[in-house]
Amino acid sequence: MQINTSQVQISNNDLLIDAYLAQPEGNDKKGAVIVFQEIFGVNNNIRDITELIAQQGYIAIAPALYQRVAPGFEFGFSAEDAGFSQEAYRLGLEYYQEVKYQEIFSDIQATIAYLKNLSNVKADSVGCIGFCFGGHVAYMAATLPDIKATASFYGGGITQPSYGEEIPTVNRTSEIQGTIYTFFGNQDSLISQEDNQKIEAEFKKHNINYQVFRYDAGHGFFGGFFVDKYPFLARNPAINRAAAMDAWSHVLELFENNL
């Protein structure tokens, strides 16, 4: 499917949020998906995912979640260390620790409003997907009634107080009205099995429409989807192409059934 891409800005009161927009050609109304970044900004990987989703027939947009703390920040894949440099990790974590829950939540709502104002978006068909930091943000977004489908990949910190809040995001699970799929690696050193089991227990407790997928993989395993484009990723032991491909099939199922 042919797509068009552009850099746009989302207005949130006095803040203009940079975003990457990918749209299939044609003026017919389509479902929309918000893509939430990892700690490395809206980089080449997030743009690839945004385009991949647009190629499935959805309007896809990736807002810059660091707009307040580090506008324009991004670090992309580097072949030298089969992933991201130590400087990228240092800066990404620094900015990650500066974001505030309520500000991010407000930016999510502004992004939804932006999409619903596009003439080619079905207003009642908005979903989201996020990875790592963005996996947590996707879980936050899932608590909004406008979000019909959520794919949260290895979201960190969901079971602990985060981003200046005293209440863990998992405590808001009862607010989820749409369908949510979560994806975890059993070898993830950043997210414990206890944490992802606690999340599933909350889904069950509140009768959420959900599925949890666990793979024999490490943190960031979805990078395996792009090893053909970035062969050096195969050197990263956390990357698992089979897991990534299976997870992607479930993401497509999720969006097809709900958007």
Side-chain angles (χ1 to χ4, degrees), residues 121-179:
V121 168
K122 295 179 184 177
D124 61 346
S125 296
V126 179
C128 66
I129 186 171
F131 304 84
C132 186
F133 166 44
H136 188 156
V137 175
Y139 203 104
M140 292 164 56
T143 66
L144 290 166
D146 283 313
I147 298 296
K148 308 302 181 185
T150 298
S152 172
F153 278 78
Y154 29 84
I158 293 172
T159 62
Q160 293 87 36
S162 301
Y163 318 134
E165 290 287 287
E166 295 182 359
I167 300 173
T169 303
V170 73
N171 288 24
R172 296 181 166 92
T173 300
S174 63
E175 300 170 34
I176 297 174
Q177 299 178 33
T179 301

Side-chain angles (χ1 to χ4, degrees), residues 191-209:
I191 303 168
S192 71
Q193 297 304 302
E194 180 182 2
D195 281 351
N196 71 57
Q197 289 165 6
K198 182 175 182 179
I199 289 168
E200 183 167 17
E202 287 297 303
F203 289 153
K204 292 178 179 178
K205 176 181 176 181
H206 298 291
N207 297 312
I208 305 301
N209 189 10

Side-chain angles (χ1 to χ4, degrees), residues 37-188:
Q37 66 183 63
E38 297 172 301
I39 64 170
F40 306 106
V42 181
N43 59 8
N44 55 343
N45 179 44
I46 295 301
R47 290 190 291 271
D48 285 342
I49 293 170
T50 305
E51 293 173 11
L52 181 65
I53 291 169
Q55 288 163 0
Q56 313 309 310
Y58 303 99
I59 311 298
I61 191 168
L65 299 179
Y66 287 165
Q67 192 69 45
R68 289 179 176 82
V69 300
F73 171 81
E74 69 167 270
F75 262 101
F77 287 133
S78 59
E80 290 76 14
D81 62 351
F84 298 97
S85 69
Q86 290 303 309
E87 178 67 2
Y89 278 108
R90 185 188 70 79
L91 286 173
L93 286 172
E94 176 183 324
Y95 299 142
Y96 167 81
Q97 291 165 0
E98 292 181 23
V99 301
K100 301 301 181 186
Y101 190 101
Q102 293 303 326
E103 291 176 344
I104 291 294
F105 204 68
S106 175
D107 293 347
I108 296 168
Q109 292 170 304
T111 304
I112 293 171
Y114 177 91
L115 288 171
K116 293 173 74 171
N117 280 328
L118 295 180
S119 61
N120 56 347
V121 168
K122 295 179 184 177
D124 61 346
S125 296
V126 179
C128 66
I129 186 171
F131 304 84
C132 186
F133 166 44
H136 188 156
V137 175
Y139 203 104
M140 292 164 56
T143 66
L144 290 166
D146 283 313
I147 298 296
K148 308 302 181 185
T150 298
S152 172
F153 278 78
Y154 29 84
I158 293 172
T159 62
Q160 293 87 36
S162 301
Y163 318 134
E165 290 287 287
E166 295 182 359
I167 300 173
T169 303
V170 73
N171 288 24
R172 296 181 166 92
T173 300
S174 63
E175 300 170 34
I176 297 174
Q177 299 178 33
T179 301
I180 183 168
Y181 284 8
T182 59
F183 302 85
F184 298 103
N186 290 333
Q187 299 175 29
D188 193 330

